[in-house]
Amino acid sequence: CRITSAPPPIRQALAAGKVDELVVSTAPVILGGGKLLFDGFDRDLDLQVAKVYSSPFATHVRYTVSR
């Protein structure tokens, strides 16, 4: 199952233990602001970096989620 969404559904899936892998993309913002993925998330997660992809426009980090 792949979730491409805003932070609230991702946090719900993480809290339910349904996530094996997480890809976080970070891009510079000129105007406005980004979404806080872990804002209000009250569980500790064991994330291991699996791979990092980067370009001048964004950085993508693939994590494995340990249970």
Side-chain angles (χ1 to χ4, degrees):
C1 174
R2 174 176 249 170
I3 300 172
T4 305
S5 183
I10 295 170
R11 284 193 295 264
Q12 291 170 358
L14 285 166
K18 302 294 184 186
V19 179
D20 296 318
E21 185 175 83
L22 180 66
V23 178
V24 177
S25 300
T26 307
V29 176
I30 295 173
L31 298 173
K35 303 292 182 187
L36 299 175
L37 178 59
F38 296 107
D39 188 37
F41 192 73
D42 59 358
R43 281 186 62 194
D44 288 335
L45 292 175
D46 186 13
L47 301 176
Q48 302 296 321
V49 175
K51 186 142 186 171
V52 177
Y53 308 87
S54 63
S55 76
F57 306 106
T59 300
H60 312 278
V61 183
R62 181 177 304 271
Y63 298 95
T64 55
V65 181
S66 301
R67 297 176 207 235

